[in-house]
Structure formats: structure tokens, C-alpha cells
Amino acid sequence: MTEAVTTQSALVIPQLIVGLGNPESKYDQTRHNIGFAAVETLSRSWRIPLAENRKFQGEYGEGMAPSGGKIRLLKPLTYMNRSGQAIQAVTSWYKLPPESVLVIYDDMDLPLGKTRLRLSGSAGGHNGMKSAIAHLSTQNFPRLRIGIGKPKGAANNDDSDAVSHVLGRFSAAENQQMSLVLQFVVECIELSLKQGVEKAMNVCNSRTINNSES
């Protein structure tokens, strides 16, 4: 009985979902902005409008999640490497613990069609995550990485190739695939809200989303 209670209290249920990206139209729809695209998809799916909020240095919205609880959505408009400022503005205002913040962002080390949900971890070289970790003063908050794949011929570790890849746009075929991935991301997040992040990890980390799926 005691063990069941302990497990129950350890459930990590997100209260704030943050998508990382860069403001300005030139970054719109780029691979690096897939976190923005994810939050926009959640906003449409849950009918929670986003509006610019200067206090929170981002586009922000709050409403009811399908699970019935209150949920907050944020797209920091601080530029990627200062994303943590906006996150901290929201968590400080609402007194949210770091583990209630779920951050969504792009990952070159994951192939297209793969997602990875984790309860904690390092920034892995991602500047937006470095800023989030610095401002939350911990690595112990959940994150969902969306695979954007590596640039072709990435074996030579050319930084300029990597930059043009992350700041480039998806091809038409990739866009079709990514829209399926974003629908899957909504499923993963809804599962996290209902059953906790740890339970959702089993589903989110085991599937690869391909264009053939309908």
C-alpha cells in the first residue's frame, strides 16, 4: 500500500508546455522551430489561443487540457539562446516547480519521425535547453525532443552544414511526415497529462512515424 502511494505521488504531470524556436518570419517553419510548431499544434487542437505577453516575453495561452486540468502554453520570443528568461518569467509568476515544465525542441541526433520523451537530462549542445537549464537551475524537468535528422554528408562534422540544416526548411515530403509527427506529439503530451510523463515515455519513445501512416 505504501509503495503504491509513493509511486502515485511521484507522477510528473506537466503544467506548462514550452516550444523552443526563434521569432521573426525568416525562421518560420524551419527545422529549428519545430518546438514552436508543436505548441501551435497543441494550441489549435485544444482551442487555447496564443497571444503575445510582454511580461512573459513570449506568446502565451492558458486553458483546459483534454485531461480536464489547467494547462499553459508558451513560445518564448527571446531568441533561442535566451529561452530560459521567458520560461522563468512564467514559472516565477505562477510559482511552478521545474518538474512541471515540459520543453519541446528539435534534435539533429534523432532521425525524422522519431521522438524522445525524458524526465530529465543535459542540454546536449542545444542552446535553448542550455538557457532553460540555467534559468530553472536544474536539469530535472521533462523534455520532448523531435528528430530533424542530420544534414546529408554530416560525417565530416562541418558546423556550417549543421547551421544551414537546422535553419533550413523541410522538403514537401518531410513536411507531410512532420505533420504526422506533430499529431503524434499531441497524443504523447495528452498521455503525459493523463498518466504522467514516465508512462507516456513507453509510447512516445517506441514509435517511428512514417509518411505511410494515415
Side-chain angles (χ1 to χ4, degrees), residues 4 6 29 35 45 47 60 67 71 76-77 79 88 92 100 117-118 133-134 143 148 153 162 166 175 193 201:
T6 311
Q29 306 296 313
S45 181
R47 294 184 174 83
Y60 174 81
S67 58
I71 195 69
L77 298 179
Y79 287 95
Q88 188 183 41
S92 298
S100 72
L117 184 62
R118 292 277 182 266
I133 288 167
R143 70 282 314 273
I148 60 166
V166 297
N175 262 326
L193 295 173
M201 282 163 53

Side-chain angles (χ1 to χ4, degrees), residues 102-140:
L102 172 62
V103 181
I104 309 174
Y105 62 104
D106 59 297
D107 190 343
M108 268 204 315
D109 291 328
L110 285 178
L112 240 61
K114 286 298 283 184
T115 55
R116 278 280 180 279
L117 184 62
R118 292 277 182 266
L119 282 165
S120 62
S122 70
H126 194 284
N127 287 333
M129 282 303 284
K130 284 180 189 172
S131 177
I133 288 167
H135 281 82
L136 290 172
S137 303
T138 180
Q139 296 186 7
N140 296 327

